[in-house]
Amino acid sequence: MQLNTDLLKGVAQAATKLELALVYVKNDSDLTITSVNESFSQIAKNYRLPIDSLFLWLKNERYSTTLHLFDALKHQDTLLDETLGRSPAGDAFHIQWSVSAADDGGLVCCIRDIRWRQKYKDQWTLFERVFDSGRASIVVTDENNRIVMANRHFEEISGYSKYEVLGQDPGCFSSGRQSKAFYKELWRTLQQEGYWTGVVWNKRKDGREYPEHKTIYAVTNEHGVLTHYFSSGEILPNVGEAPQQREFSDGLISQQALITALNEHRRQQLEAVAVYHIGVDRMDQANRVCGLSFGDHILQILLARLKDTFLPNGLIARSIGDEFIVASPNISTPDIANSLGQMLLQSLNSTIRYDDIEWNITASIGISFFARDNDAWKAIEQAHIAMHHAKSQGGDNLQFYDTESQNSARESLRLEQALRYAIENDELSLHYQPLIALNDQHVFGAEALLRWHSSEFGFVGPDRFIPIAEQSDLILDIGLWVFQTACCQLKQWGSEYAGSVAINLSAQQIQYADLPNKLLTILRNHDIPVDRIHLEITETAMINDTNSAVSVVSSLREAGFTLSMDDFGTGYSSLSYLTRFPIDKLKVDRSFIDTITTNSESLVVTKSIISLAKSLGLKVVAEGVETEGQLKELCLLNCDYAQGYLFSRPLAADDFIQFYRQQCPSIETLTPHLLSVENAS
Ligand code: C2E
Ligand code: CA
Ligand code: CA
């Protein structure tokens, strides 16, 4: 397609208004200019570029001669490119241009000055550098005081990564040492004067407190409307802090020194370096359950193993919080990086005793490679993301950085952020799935199953968010919310519902010795007898940390709760565990029921689980019953209870009570012959 010259005249005027330069040239080897619009003259003047030779403007790496340009025009109607060049007078210019053939055989060229774009890019890069350098910890919040930006120094001081704090109110770092009146006065001054300065006591991620000298400014837009708060803080010496810092310093360098070393390595164009980011699993929990000195003890063990594995060739730095970064040179392949990492995991995996607590130490490791074309910070960040990925896989494992893990770890962090506000934003609810007694077909209970409808992510399934809640300890609050909500619901159903509600407990919850008391208090507050609540704990949760789990589970039983071992068959399924825990029921995992009619092995396993349970005086629940065939098989095996889509999916509270009123009418019509056989026997 060629351009019409008449049309071009009108276009030239419009282009001038848009500050687009238009040039009309002859199709000759010099690209001789025949006419230009005003914008073109203006740019030429600004950068002292000659008007006579257009090719000086367009010339770049791709089109180094006019011949290249003409050649390209044979295949394309319009060429579009950029030129970053210098005028004969030495002025830098950066333009974007297009060239098309006109209908009279000439060429029309359109030029846009994009030097401002580069300028903004440079300014932004500079801003990022300034933001991250220096000793000040900087946090920017929006008008609702939710964090929108935090710099690296903030991460180092607080122990939180910026991804963890985005969207949070900085009030959550407050140590609680200062009174409500203090914060009230802070806000009053900030609102009236536009800034506040003073000392605040905050709390690190690991629970330690520190004093910070802070200045906070209110930021307004051009109309004087408040848009953000900018706070800059410097940590003050805290006497109580110093010895602990010293303890770790042996054999360690600072993160900044590690970065400098990596950059020097790159400058000398040396071999690739593997960067490891290492974090102890369940560290928050160790600090919470056993105290900070226990946490420090674990870190000392980790540090000793790190030195054994990586020194003298590697460099070890303390990262944010309780994590470490190691740079290990001369590692040319992922295989070698992997073996070293696995060695570390193995040497670390051990059980230590502290007072009367037995703690299994494990760690998660993320690995990235720092090569010539990488940036030291980026390599560290990538290893950090990979470590998050390793944690999300349940810990005690190692992951390499890749785009997939990056995306999934980022998504997990964003979900965790949103989940923090799920309770207060009223985004959680419980659904109830009927539990059916197979001998007399009645609904004897319901399993409470958590649902999350996030305003940001829509519906998120529990298989996705429960593991995230478990990794971050959010499960403790969420678990109590579930318990409390189920009690409220029982109260609301009143005498109309005579069954029990089964509640799932996570492994983290049964680590806490005060769990039974907390649950009993909630029951008392709602006036619900303990036998109306049944607790489900997975087989793996009971086994993982046997000592404390046994004692908490036993106290729950002593308090009067009945208990199920959930997902039975997926873990060790050992008889000794069954006898060790005071449980009442076994729930056969869905994976066996799913294939019970098609896979003889599933049938044999289910059969032996049922007879094993019976010999121990336990009742058996079959999970995930979806077909009549499966139900028949279970009835023949003398299974006590069942749950599954065949009877009902999990239902909202109102739908459940309606289902209960009708007392599962489908069962009799499903298997009348089997039920009567069973009843007769
Ligand atoms: P779970 O404890 O094994 O719960 C049973 C899961 O099986 C539920 O999935 C339920 O909807 C599903 N299910 C029931 N019958 C059938 C069936 O016939 N076919 C199939 N395909 N699925 C069936 P849901 O609700 O997605 O929950 C998944 C897991 O999330 C639960 O597994 C439990 O481990 C966890 N979870 C849910 N709510 C809570 C909670 O309040 N606290 C804790 N700690 N974990 C929870
Ligand atoms: Ca369950
Ligand atoms: Ca289950």
Side-chain angles (χ1 to χ4, degrees):
M1 188 201 75
Q2 298 199 324
L3 296 170
N4 176 300
T5 35
D6 279 337
L7 183 67
L8 285 172
K9 286 184 191 125
V11 172
Q13 286 168 8
T16 296
K17 300 234 182 308
L18 290 170
E19 296 186 343
L20 273 176
L22 277 185
V23 196
Y24 191 63
V25 289
K26 276 193 196 151
N27 189 352
D28 59 17
S29 58
D30 295 330
L31 295 182
T32 311
I33 292 182
T34 51
S35 65
V36 299
N37 74 346
E38 242 178 79
S39 296
F40 185 80
S41 314
Q42 194 55 49
I43 303 180
K45 204 165 136 204
N46 288 351
Y47 301 130
R48 292 188 285 171
L49 273 156
I51 286 194
D52 48 14
S53 164
L54 178 68
F55 196 64
L56 179 79
W57 293 61
L58 309 189
K59 193 172 159 178
N60 63 20
E61 269 171 19
R62 196 187 323 213
Y63 303 109
S64 52
T65 68
T66 42
L67 222 58
H68 290 139
L69 202 78
F70 288 131
D71 242 19
L73 271 173
K74 280 186 203 148
H75 308 289
Q76 269 170 279
D77 282 336
T78 302
L79 304 180
L80 184 70
D81 219 310
E82 280 183 25
T83 298
L84 178 64
R86 256 182 210 287
S87 72
D91 297 321
F93 67 98
H94 193 180
I95 56 161
Q96 193 178 38
W97 53 261
S98 75
V99 172
S100 319
D103 59 359
D104 65 351
L107 296 177
V108 64
C109 169
C110 179
I111 291 173
R112 194 150 64 126
D113 183 1
I114 55 168
R115 217 171 59 145
W116 57 269
R117 198 175 76 184
Q118 189 60 34
K119 203 167 132 194
Y120 279 133
K121 220 166 126 192
D122 292 343
Q123 273 182 354
W124 179 250
T125 313
L126 175 67
F127 167 74
E128 279 187 309
R129 292 222 178 97
V130 172
F131 193 64
D132 275 336
S133 53
R135 301 301 300 159
S137 137
I138 298 174
V139 174
V140 180
T141 59
D142 63 16
E143 77 271 33
N144 298 318
N145 204 29
R146 301 279 173 198
I147 298 177
V148 291
M149 283 169 111
N151 74 348
R152 273 180 202 150
H153 202 60
F154 163 83
E155 291 181 317
E156 284 165 17
I157 289 182
S158 69
Y160 290 95
S161 84
K162 61 182 158 211
Y163 300 110
E164 283 176 283
V165 301
L166 291 183
Q168 294 226 50
D169 185 327
C172 67
F173 311 122
S174 148
S175 65
R177 275 192 189 214
Q178 287 156 309
S179 65
K180 275 195 177 135
F182 167 83
Y183 287 100
K184 214 168 149 190
E185 177 58 18
L186 181 160
W187 278 103
R188 196 199 55 75
T189 315
L190 191 55
Q191 263 142 17
Q192 278 181 5
E193 321 273 327
Y195 83 97
W196 177 88
T197 184
V199 175
V200 282
W201 276 85
N202 280 339
K203 197 152 76 174
R204 288 193 174 88
K205 189 179 178 183
D206 63 11
R208 277 179 272 183
E209 296 176 355
Y210 63 98
E212 199 178 6
H213 185 264
K214 260 196 184 306
T215 305
I216 311 176
Y217 297 96
V219 181
T220 53
N221 66 12
E222 67 272 30
H223 308 297
V225 178
L226 180 119
T227 58
H228 294 89
Y229 295 102
F230 175 95
S231 99
S232 163
E234 271 191 57
I235 197 154
L236 298 172
N238 175 9
V239 199
E241 205 58 45
Q244 250 160 354
Q245 298 265 334
R246 260 203 311 276
E247 272 176 55
F248 289 114
S249 62
D250 173 34
L252 288 183
I253 59 169
S254 73
Q255 197 163 318
Q256 194 50 51
L258 186 102
I259 289 167
T260 310
L262 282 177
N263 284 332
E264 177 60 18
H265 195 86
R266 178 176 51 185
R267 209 180 53 74
Q268 293 177 19
Q269 308 230 317
L270 299 172
E271 278 287 295
V273 176
V275 178
Y276 294 75
H277 208 118
I278 301 131
V280 177
D281 296 328
R282 301 179 301 146
M283 194 63 197
D284 284 350
Q285 214 176 324
N287 280 331
R288 250 211 254 189
V289 176
C290 315
L292 295 179
S293 60
F294 180 65
D296 284 346
H297 180 58
I298 294 180
L299 290 184
Q300 294 291 0
I301 294 175
L302 170 61
L303 186 56
R305 302 284 185 278
L306 287 177
K307 287 184 195 165
D308 292 347
T309 315
F310 294 104
L311 291 186
N313 297 328
L315 296 172
I316 307 174
R318 180 95 184 254
S319 170
I320 50 172
D322 301 310
E323 293 160 10
F324 292 90
I325 308 166
V326 175
S328 189
N330 304 325
I331 293 189
S332 49
T333 68
D335 279 352
I336 305 175
N338 183 44
S339 328
L340 264 181
Q342 296 293 356
M343 250 165 59
L344 177 66
L345 285 179
Q346 269 173 24
S347 69
L348 202 63
N349 192 331
S350 55
T351 303
I352 54 167
R353 284 198 72 80
Y354 189 83
D355 292 338
D356 58 345
I357 300 163
E358 263 186 17
W359 194 269
N360 185 234
I361 314 180
T362 59
S364 297
I365 301 180
I367 304 178
S368 70
F369 277 94
F370 175 67
R372 272 163 223 170
D373 53 353
N374 211 342
D375 167 80
W377 255 114
K378 211 165 176 185
I380 291 174
E381 196 184 359
Q382 289 173 343
H384 188 198
I385 288 168
M387 185 200 72
H388 267 285
H389 185 51
K391 284 203 187 248
S392 73
Q393 301 299 301
D396 195 18
N397 81 92
L398 170 163
Q399 296 288 330
F400 282 87
Y401 172 82
D402 61 50
T403 332
E404 216 176 286
S405 74
Q406 175 197 24
N407 290 341
S408 117
R410 285 231 161 99
E411 204 209 31
S412 298
L413 284 172
R414 287 182 56 215
L415 281 175
E416 186 188 316
Q417 240 9 279
L419 195 53
R420 262 178 214 286
Y421 296 99
I423 295 182
E424 68 186 67
N425 290 350
D426 214 13
E427 294 175 348
L428 297 180
S429 62
L430 288 184
H431 274 199
Y432 299 86
Q433 189 175 32
L435 297 164
I436 315 291
L438 290 179
N439 64 347
D440 63 0
Q441 326 139 44
H442 81 289
V443 179
F444 73 94
E447 178 174 5
L449 292 160
L450 196 52
R451 297 292 175 258
W452 178 26
H453 196 94
S454 153
S455 57
E456 191 179 346
F457 297 96
F459 179 78
V460 188
D463 282 333
R464 179 82 185 98
F465 73 81
I466 297 275
I468 292 175
E470 287 175 339
Q471 271 166 49
S472 58
D473 272 9
L474 281 173
I475 194 66
L476 302 178
D477 290 341
I478 291 180
L480 288 180
W481 180 90
V482 168
F483 194 87
Q484 194 146 0
T485 307
C487 289
C488 286
Q489 192 57 65
L490 274 173
K491 193 94 202 141
Q492 204 175 322
W493 284 331
S495 58
E496 206 181 350
Y497 179 64
S500 58
V501 170
I503 288 172
N504 290 287
L505 291 184
S506 279
Q508 282 72 4
Q509 292 176 273
I510 56 168
Q511 300 286 336
Y512 288 93
D514 62 348
L515 179 75
N517 273 337
K518 278 200 168 138
L519 301 188
L520 288 175
T521 310
I522 298 176
L523 283 179
R524 254 197 314 276
N525 291 344
H526 291 81
D527 198 20
I528 300 286
V530 68
D531 60 5
R532 301 292 305 281
I533 299 279
H534 181 82
L535 300 173
E536 295 192 3
I537 307 170
T538 63
E539 186 190 356
T540 30
M542 295 206 198
I543 292 157
N544 270 351
D545 198 336
T546 324
N547 268 355
S548 47
V550 171
S551 81
V552 175
V553 171
S554 304
S555 332
L556 285 169
R557 189 72 191 82
E558 276 159 28
F561 289 104
T562 49
L563 306 163
S564 284
M565 190 175 266
D566 203 355
D567 300 346
F568 191 75
T570 54
Y572 292 95
S573 311
S574 151
L575 184 65
S576 69
Y577 289 119
L578 284 183
T579 50
R580 232 169 135 185
F581 288 97
I583 50 170
D584 307 275
K585 292 193 196 100
L586 275 192
K587 293 190 83 172
V588 183
D589 191 64
R590 201 167 75 214
S591 53
F592 299 104
I593 310 302
D594 196 28
T595 49
I596 195 170
T597 54
T598 51
N599 179 330
S600 55
E601 227 172 90
S602 295
L603 181 62
V604 172
V605 172
T606 312
K607 198 171 171 180
S608 48
I609 293 178
I610 294 177
S611 56
L612 169 76
K614 299 257 155 166
S615 67
L616 293 168
L618 305 175
K619 297 281 185 196
V620 181
V621 189
E623 286 188 323
V625 181
E626 290 184 353
T627 68
E628 232 184 293
Q630 292 164 353
L631 176 63
K632 264 188 207 167
E633 207 61 78
L634 290 162
C635 286
L636 289 171
L637 294 178
N638 240 338
C639 181
D640 305 288
Y641 309 116
Q643 168 184 15
Y645 294 172
L646 178 66
F647 312 107
S648 167
R649 288 184 176 257
L651 301 167
D654 289 349
D655 297 334
F656 172 77
I657 199 69
Q658 215 159 340
F659 182 92
Y660 181 76
R661 281 188 205 122
Q662 294 164 6
Q663 280 289 311
C664 192
S666 57
I667 292 193
E668 231 165 337
T669 51
L670 281 170
T671 53
H673 52 291
L674 278 171
L675 293 166
S676 53
V677 167
E678 227 206 343
N679 286 342
S681 65

